[in-house]
């Protein structure tokens, strides 16, 4: 009884400490949920797992120390409790670090997307370190294991060259911030769309048709790529227009400017503060060509804005009596001269033989 009473007190104290810690951490979780930063939620949620178990392990260790156990039994009990505590701490640390990495990558991407590559790498590294610490605690020498892992790792690296190339290419892409989840990209090979995810092997791109294109990270790193979201999301698009030679260019410019201002303020996805820009540039065969510069909020908005601009401009030109002539070619024949309208538009129409 002299030994059982202190052992029971130590065990009860450990259980009571676990209960009190759980109540305290529940209170802290309520306060963390009201903050803007998501990292404190991850930390408190992880501590709610490890702290009660640590208190229980401490109480069990105190109880074992109070009992008249043999030295070998006492050593075994301490080892079991230590390994259990290391296991819980390792899982908690992996959860905390992976959660913090996910929070940081999500906040930096600016779009609700998952950059899972960093999360998976950090989780595996923490678990591997915890496993090695447990082996060392149990008296297992980890030096031969590290040597074997080094030799085996070299063989695996040679066998998985493409996979490792994709892995490090993905790390480089995210670390350099050239591409982030949510960006709209276009590769020189023709693939384009919104980046959905960058994981350990591949990058997933969602096309405007909602189809998913899977691109290996190594191919993405080696391709010539245009990122339409960086350095800023807004961009300008060009629309080519032409009017007849008998048009009053000042009148054309004024009418076109009014249509641009109307589209910029009324069509969703346009930039209301965009300054209308018109630049005459070509004396063509049948028209005077000029470029209209429109401002759009992001890449996919340009299709809707071009659609509305062309419709409204065509309607306004008809109301104002401004002609958009069809290109024509003069063909010399033996009996005379004939003017043939062409089906092609633009100044690059092929000449007739």
């Amino acid at each position: 009884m002299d030994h059982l009473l202190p052992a029971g007190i130590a065990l009860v104290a450990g259980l009571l400490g676990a209960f009190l810690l759980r109540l305290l951490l529940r209170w802290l979780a309520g306060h963390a949920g009201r903050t803007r930063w998501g990292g404190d939620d991850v930390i408190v949620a992880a501590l709610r797992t490890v702290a009660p178990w640590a208190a229980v392990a401490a109480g069990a260790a105190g109880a074992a120390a109070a009992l008249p156990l043999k030295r070998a039994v006492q050593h075994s009990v301490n080892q079991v409790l230590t390994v259990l505590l290391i296991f819980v701490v390792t899982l908690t640390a992996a959860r905390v670090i992976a959660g913090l990495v996910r929070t940081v990558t999500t906040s930096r991407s600016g779009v609700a997307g998952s950059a899972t590559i960093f999360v998976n790498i950090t989780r595996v590294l923490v678990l591997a370190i915890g496993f090695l610490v447990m082996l060392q605690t149990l008296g297992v020498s980890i030096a031969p294991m590290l040597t074997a892992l080094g030799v085996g790792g070299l063989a695996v690296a040679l066998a998985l060259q493409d996979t490792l190339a994709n892995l490090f290419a993905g790390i480089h892409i995210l670390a350099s911030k050239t591409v982030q989840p949510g960006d709209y990209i276009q590769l020189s090979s023709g693939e384009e769309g919104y980046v959905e995810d960058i994981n350990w092997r591949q990058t997933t791109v969602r096309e405007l048709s909602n189809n998913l294109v899977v691109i290996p990270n190594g191919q993405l790193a080696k391709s010539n790529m245009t990122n339409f979201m960086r350095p800023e999301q807004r961009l300008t698009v060009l629309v080519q227009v032409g009017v007849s030679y008998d048009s009053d260019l000042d009148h054309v410019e004024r009418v076109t400017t009014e249509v641009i201002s109307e589209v910029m303020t009324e069509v969703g996805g346009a930039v209301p503060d965009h300054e209308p820009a018109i630049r005459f540039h070509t004396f063509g065969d049948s028209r005077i060509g000029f470029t209209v510069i429109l401002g759009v909020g992001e890449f996919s908005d340009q299709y809707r804005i071009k659609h509305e601009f062309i419709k409204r401009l065509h309607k306004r030109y008809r109301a104002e009596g401004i002609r958009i002539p069809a290109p024509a070619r003069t063909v010399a024949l033996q009996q005379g001269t004939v003017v043939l309208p062409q089906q092609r538009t633009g100044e690059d129409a092929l000449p007739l033989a």
Side-chain angles (χ1 to χ4, degrees):
M1 293 297 297
D2 294 338
H3 299 289
L4 290 178
L5 183 60
I9 293 175
L11 189 59
V12 171
L15 294 175
L16 181 61
F19 177 74
L20 294 177
L21 284 173
R22 192 164 185 83
L23 290 179
L24 175 63
L25 291 170
R26 181 180 298 176
W27 177 78
L28 289 176
H31 283 274
R34 291 190 289 269
T35 61
R36 294 183 178 181
W37 185 50
D40 52 359
D41 299 281
V42 176
I43 295 174
V44 173
L47 289 177
R48 290 180 66 179
T49 301
V50 66
W53 280 103
V56 171
L67 293 175
L69 301 176
K70 294 182 179 180
R71 181 175 297 180
V73 176
Q74 183 73 39
H75 179 68
S76 299
V77 171
N78 290 337
Q79 273 194 331
V80 170
L81 293 175
T82 303
V83 169
L84 177 62
L85 186 59
I86 292 174
F87 177 73
V88 175
V89 170
T90 300
L91 290 181
T92 304
R95 183 185 302 175
V96 170
I97 297 176
L100 292 177
V101 170
R102 186 183 298 277
T103 301
V104 172
T105 54
T106 303
S107 63
R108 289 190 177 183
S109 66
V111 178
S114 59
T116 57
I117 181 170
F118 286 151
V119 176
N120 292 334
I121 290 176
T122 52
R123 183 183 289 116
V124 170
L125 287 177
V126 173
L127 292 177
I129 293 173
F131 178 71
L132 293 177
V133 172
M134 282 192 294
L135 292 181
Q136 188 71 26
T137 303
L138 294 174
V140 178
S141 178
I142 62 175
M145 184 178 299
L146 292 177
T147 304
L149 287 176
V151 177
L154 179 60
V156 170
L158 293 175
L160 300 176
Q161 293 184 36
D162 293 339
T163 301
L164 293 177
N166 291 327
L167 171 64
F168 289 108
I171 295 175
H172 170 72
I173 289 170
L174 283 180
S176 63
K177 298 182 182 180
T178 55
V179 179
Q180 294 288 313
D183 290 352
Y184 192 97
I185 63 172
Q186 183 181 54
L187 304 184
S188 57
S189 53
E191 297 88 353
E192 63 177 274
Y194 289 97
V195 177
E196 289 287 309
D197 184 39
I198 304 174
N199 59 28
W200 64 275
R201 181 181 178 273
Q202 63 205 15
T203 298
T204 305
V205 175
R206 177 174 56 85
E207 297 181 321
L208 294 179
S209 59
N210 272 337
N211 296 323
L212 293 179
V213 179
V214 179
I215 305 171
N217 290 331
Q219 177 182 341
L220 182 65
K222 293 185 294 185
S223 298
N224 294 329
M225 177 183 61
T226 303
N227 191 335
F228 292 96
M229 297 293 192
R230 299 183 186 276
E232 63 178 349
Q233 188 170 336
R234 291 183 176 184
L235 67 153
T236 57
V237 295
L238 309 180
V239 179
Q240 303 300 326
V241 190
V243 294
S244 62
Y245 275 90
D246 58 358
S247 302
D248 182 352
L249 296 187
D250 290 331
H251 183 220
V252 171
E253 185 174 8
R254 184 173 59 257
V255 170
T256 307
T257 301
E258 293 174 358
V259 175
I260 296 174
S261 300
E262 178 184 327
V263 170
M264 291 295 102
T265 55
E266 297 181 3
V267 179
V271 181
D273 57 352
H274 171 75
E275 183 179 355
I278 301 170
R279 298 294 181 265
F280 293 96
H281 56 73
T282 304
F283 286 103
D285 292 340
S286 59
R287 64 179 65 189
I288 296 177
F290 61 95
T291 300
V292 176
I293 304 175
L294 305 174
V296 298
E298 66 161 305
F299 183 85
S300 60
D301 293 330
Q302 63 176 305
Y303 303 106
R304 179 174 60 257
I305 294 171
K306 284 182 178 179
H307 169 79
E308 287 295 329
F309 173 73
I310 292 174
K311 282 200 327 181
R312 298 187 186 198
L313 186 67
H314 182 261
K315 182 178 180 180
R316 185 67 183 277
Y317 276 6
R318 293 187 64 180
E320 297 288 340
I322 300 174
R323 251 183 355 106
I324 304 177
R329 290 291 185 270
T330 300
V331 180
L333 302 177
Q334 292 182 356
Q335 302 298 327
T337 302
V338 179
V339 177
L340 300 178
Q342 301 299 306
Q343 296 299 325
R344 284 189 170 218
T345 60
E347 301 303 326
D348 57 346
L350 296 176
L352 295 177

